[in-house]
Amino acid sequence: YVQELLQFENTFDGFKKAIEPLAERLKIGRVAGHLHIEANIKSVQDEDRHDVFYAGDGLYSEKGKYQKTFQAVENGYCELTAFPYENVEWSEEEKEDIALLLEVLYLHVTRSRLIRKTREYSYCNLITMLPNSAGFVRIIQQHLQDQTICQYNGFYFNLKSFGLLSYKYGGAEGDLMIKRYAVAVRKWLAEDETLAHLGGDNFMALVKKSRTAEFLHLLEKVEVTAKYPVYIAAAAGAYEITAKDRDPGNIMNGLSIAVSYARQHKLPYAFLTDKMLEETVDVQRMEQMLPEALEKREFQVYYQPKVDIRTGQIVGTEALARWIHNGEVIQPFRFIPTMERNGFIIHLDLYILKRVCEAINEWIEKGYKLVPISVNISRNDISGVGHDPRMLAERIIRIIKEYDIDPKYIIIEVTETTEASEQKELYDFIKNMSEAGIATSIDDFGTGCSTLSVLRDFPVNEIKIDRSFINHEAFSTQDQIIIKSIIQMARQLNLNVITEGVETEEQARFLLELGCNHAQGYLYDKPLEQSAFESRLSVGGYDRKI
Ligand code: C2E
Ligand code: CA
Ligand code: CA
């Protein structure tokens, strides 16, 4: 009969069904004379007992009864009571047997329950009680078996700026928010559709193909009501499941790639494409190679001069990373984004800074007339996970000291930010640099939207107008007006202005007219290998004067 108990369904009724015949049978009392065992199942209202397997206080004897209480099902607990049948008096020895019997029964019941629970829990997320990734895979497998999978599209989504929300409301409140979010989305879904919670703020779903557009629309703004309503947007990766899909792993993988793409490009959603797949393979290969490449010093610094348009003189230079791999020169767009994503970029940036410091010392030795050198520092180094603007500033200052470089020869280029949360970090960083006598330049200026406040409040020394302003075919009067006002404003604030991506004399002339005296671009030189730059530096500039 213990076997029978092990079969019980993990529900209130199921347990009752299993235990009742057993108790009935035990009445015959073969074990210890005439024995009556009653299984009394009571319900529990108290939610706190949900996950308690054992709520009993052991065995006790009261007026010849033996009792064991424990929680047996989600919403109820069981009292196993043994007492003599037909007024038989038990001997002490018999009492001990009864006690033992109940104990064994109890152990088996809880054990089987524990096994079931563990099995079940390994398929669900404990915060939301939704299927987790293993549970999601199991559901996909079921659909594959039933040949129903093609009716659905797959989705992987995570909440935008959830980190910020949970920071604002606290961790426990964050969990609650996730629960409420899950409830809201689940409520929208149909019975046969699936919502899975992978943990954190990551969800997956299977939604009927016909409801895809509606679902994506929902994800743009899910109302989560707590004390006050909060609206949560998600970035989603979507995957069109076809009859060719036979492997849940493939579907999940495709979803991950699509969601990363959506996040990276700040899109509300992105469907997986073949191109994304190819790129990922490329990126993954790259990711594995990067640490070794840095160790083997495969990165080189190229230098692109900054030129005074009026005189053609070199007034500075920008250090740009190149990866020399198997004799091939790999351009930054192929490795910088990957490095920014995995946080590896800080190692590259500081590596480049060190190489620049070395170069400066070499140039001093060779007797060149030095110009300030701009080094790019990724935004990710400043406000990425686990990074701290002060610490970064300290590391930069320490390197410059170590190489005994006068800080006036280093300019740090950072891009502006549109995220309010990052503004403060950027400010701290720039302030720290400024206090150490290191100039900063705002790169790609004009592409974000926080530009004006940066100009006014941040102790920056230079702005670098993004090349997209002048370097595109449809250069409009509107562009002109914007550039003109940026230049005027910067000059009033006593900032250096340089425009990058200057390719033609016409552009240079135009910039000069607007009051921007410095330019960088193919008109003068592409980024040069160190030796080529040195030749240029030794003659001091270009013949071209405008
Ligand atoms: P950036 O900082 O905006 O650098 C300017 C980019 O514009 C360089 O591309 C440069 O070669 C290119 N460029 C310069 N003049 C012209 C021109 O006249 N026309 C056109 N079309 N392009 C021009 P590059 O070297 O490929 O670097 C691309 C980006 O990679 C850089 O953009 C920068 O954001 C990043 N990067 C490069 N080296 C580093 C590094 O050491 N650390 C970090 N964090 N980022 C780096
Ligand atoms: Ca730059
Ligand atoms: Ca730039």
Side-chain angles (χ1 to χ4, degrees):
Y1 42 77
V2 167
Q3 277 309 315
E4 225 163 281
L5 259 189
L6 293 177
Q7 302 300 319
F8 80 86
E9 284 292 313
N10 193 22
T11 60
F12 193 93
D13 285 342
F15 184 76
K16 216 165 163 175
K17 254 185 231 150
I19 196 98
E20 271 167 359
L22 176 73
E24 188 67 31
R25 189 140 22 113
L26 282 177
K27 247 191 260 179
I28 301 158
R30 295 232 173 82
V31 184
H34 295 270
L35 169 68
H36 185 109
I37 291 185
E38 222 173 64
N40 212 341
I41 305 172
K42 300 179 174 173
S43 72
V44 184
Q45 242 75 47
D46 182 1
E47 281 200 359
D48 285 346
R49 298 176 80 158
H50 242 245
D51 292 328
V52 186
F53 299 116
Y54 170 61
D57 36 15
L59 191 72
Y60 66 96
S61 159
E62 172 216 320
K63 293 186 203 137
K65 282 187 183 177
Y66 288 81
Q67 199 169 48
K68 182 106 191 142
T69 310
F70 56 92
Q71 187 173 3
V73 281
E74 291 281 309
N75 49 353
Y77 61 96
C78 175
E79 253 173 25
L80 280 181
T81 314
F83 48 88
Y85 192 52
E86 292 174 353
N87 290 332
V88 177
E89 277 286 319
W90 285 335
S91 68
E92 282 311 305
E93 200 185 332
E94 280 171 329
K95 281 180 188 168
E96 268 171 37
D97 284 348
I98 303 283
L100 196 63
L101 175 70
L102 285 194
E103 196 70 21
V104 168
L105 259 178
Y106 156 73
L107 281 176
H108 274 88
V109 172
T110 46
R111 181 174 156 273
S112 100
R113 197 179 132 65
L114 192 61
I115 291 170
R116 267 160 204 279
K117 269 285 165 203
T118 321
R119 207 176 289 146
E120 200 179 294
Y121 279 174
S122 63
Y123 288 107
C124 82
N125 179 286
L126 295 180
I127 289 179
T128 52
M129 300 311 273
L130 289 169
N132 59 15
S133 60
F136 192 62
V137 167
R138 202 161 63 156
I139 291 166
I140 294 177
Q141 267 158 349
Q142 191 60 52
H143 278 303
L144 283 168
Q145 213 172 6
D146 301 345
Q147 304 194 332
T148 44
I149 192 72
C150 289
Q151 299 172 10
Y152 303 90
N153 277 335
F155 299 87
Y156 184 173
F157 48 105
N158 42 43
L159 314 189
K160 280 188 190 154
S161 56
F162 179 69
L164 201 71
L165 279 178
S166 90
Y167 174 76
K168 197 158 144 197
Y169 298 110
E173 190 67 22
D175 278 358
L176 213 66
M177 200 89 91
I178 286 286
K179 271 193 215 175
R180 293 191 181 121
Y181 180 83
V183 168
V185 176
R186 183 61 261 186
K187 216 159 99 192
W188 187 89
L189 293 174
E191 188 87 37
D192 67 319
E193 293 171 326
T194 304
L195 178 64
H197 180 196
L198 311 191
D201 62 345
N202 296 304
F203 292 88
M204 281 191 178
L206 291 176
V207 180
K208 275 262 165 57
K209 284 210 160 82
S210 56
R211 279 159 45 92
T212 288
E214 270 175 280
F215 183 63
L216 288 170
H217 185 66
L218 169 83
L219 292 186
E220 280 173 27
K221 195 177 168 187
V222 172
E223 183 180 339
V224 173
T225 315
K227 282 181 212 121
Y228 27 80
V230 178
Y231 296 93
I232 299 183
Y239 182 89
E240 212 169 324
I241 300 175
T242 66
K244 271 186 278 169
D245 285 304
R246 304 301 315 158
D247 177 9
N250 261 351
I251 298 177
M252 311 264 289
N253 198 23
L255 284 173
S256 303
I257 294 167
V259 76
S260 314
Y261 186 92
R263 281 192 82 89
Q264 236 174 57
H265 294 81
K266 298 200 188 316
L267 299 169
Y269 64 86
F271 275 88
L272 183 78
T273 62
D274 287 345
K275 192 157 161 277
M276 281 182 211
L277 269 175
E278 279 162 28
E279 273 170 20
T280 313
V281 175
D282 209 37
V283 163
Q284 278 166 354
R285 236 196 0 248
M286 192 83 78
E287 204 157 54
Q288 286 162 1
M289 282 157 66
L290 288 174
E292 200 187 316
L294 198 62
E295 203 161 289
K296 282 174 42 198
R297 295 182 147 235
E298 288 184 352
F299 290 96
Q300 261 183 30
V301 187
Y302 275 44
Y303 294 92
Q304 188 178 33
K306 290 160 109 177
V307 181
D308 187 320
I309 301 173
R310 294 160 299 184
T311 62
Q313 268 197 338
I314 297 182
V315 291
T317 184
E318 177 177 10
L320 292 157
R322 294 292 182 270
W323 180 11
I324 318 294
H325 188 65
N326 294 338
E328 185 198 354
V329 181
I330 304 176
Q331 300 295 320
F333 76 91
R334 291 202 34 212
F335 56 88
I336 300 272
T338 310
M339 287 178 146
E340 290 191 321
R341 218 169 318 120
N342 67 17
F344 200 74
I345 187 76
I346 188 164
H347 301 297
L348 177 74
D349 285 346
L350 297 180
Y351 176 88
I352 297 289
L353 175 64
K354 287 178 191 167
R355 300 293 80 79
V356 164
C357 289
E358 275 171 10
I360 292 177
N361 281 330
E362 253 178 78
W363 293 336
I364 290 176
E365 219 162 86
K366 288 180 182 167
Y368 295 135
K369 187 170 166 284
L370 285 183
V371 291
I373 302 174
S374 300
V375 175
N376 290 286
I377 291 293
S378 164
R379 287 221 47 78
N380 186 292
D381 302 344
I382 301 172
S383 35
V385 181
H387 290 162
D388 169 348
R390 276 163 220 280
M391 218 124 82
L392 175 66
E394 256 170 50
R395 289 174 80 174
I396 291 173
I397 294 164
R398 206 180 319 132
I399 289 171
I400 293 175
K401 274 209 184 107
E402 250 167 48
Y403 284 86
D404 203 17
I405 302 293
D406 185 337
K408 75 175 183 202
Y409 288 123
I410 301 289
I411 299 175
I412 297 295
E413 280 191 16
V414 285
T415 53
E416 52 178 336
T417 175
T418 48
E419 292 267 334
S421 60
E422 292 179 1
Q423 287 281 359
K424 170 90 176 67
E425 289 160 321
L426 182 60
Y427 175 81
D428 285 346
F429 176 71
I430 289 176
K431 186 132 192 304
N432 276 288
M433 288 289 96
S434 151
E435 282 165 4
I438 302 166
T440 47
S441 172
I442 302 292
D443 204 355
D444 304 341
F445 192 86
T447 53
C449 36
S450 60
T451 51
L452 297 178
S453 73
V454 170
L455 279 186
R456 201 186 56 226
D457 303 329
F458 287 30
V460 293
N461 307 77
E462 178 185 86
I463 58 164
K464 208 168 179 186
I465 297 174
D466 191 66
R467 65 171 171 279
S468 64
F469 270 97
I470 55 160
N471 217 333
H472 63 100
E473 273 150 37
F475 185 65
S476 64
T477 39
Q478 227 151 358
D479 288 326
Q480 291 190 19
I481 292 168
I482 295 173
I483 289 202
K484 198 168 171 177
S485 61
I486 291 177
I487 293 170
Q488 277 169 359
M489 220 164 25
R491 291 183 64 133
Q492 274 161 17
L493 290 162
N494 241 338
L495 296 174
N496 273 337
V497 194
I498 178 162
T499 304
E500 63 178 16
V502 177
E503 293 184 355
T504 63
E505 253 183 48
E506 204 187 330
Q507 291 169 339
R509 194 165 295 118
F510 170 71
L511 289 169
L512 205 55
E513 273 167 27
L514 297 186
C516 171
N517 300 336
H518 293 169
Q520 184 185 8
Y522 297 170
L523 174 63
Y524 300 100
D525 262 319
K526 292 194 170 178
L528 302 169
E529 265 185 87
Q530 182 168 333
S531 56
F533 174 69
E534 283 175 6
S535 317
R536 185 52 76 180
L537 188 63
S538 64
V539 300
Y542 303 82
D543 289 336
R544 178 175 286 108
K545 293 185 185 60
I546 289 166

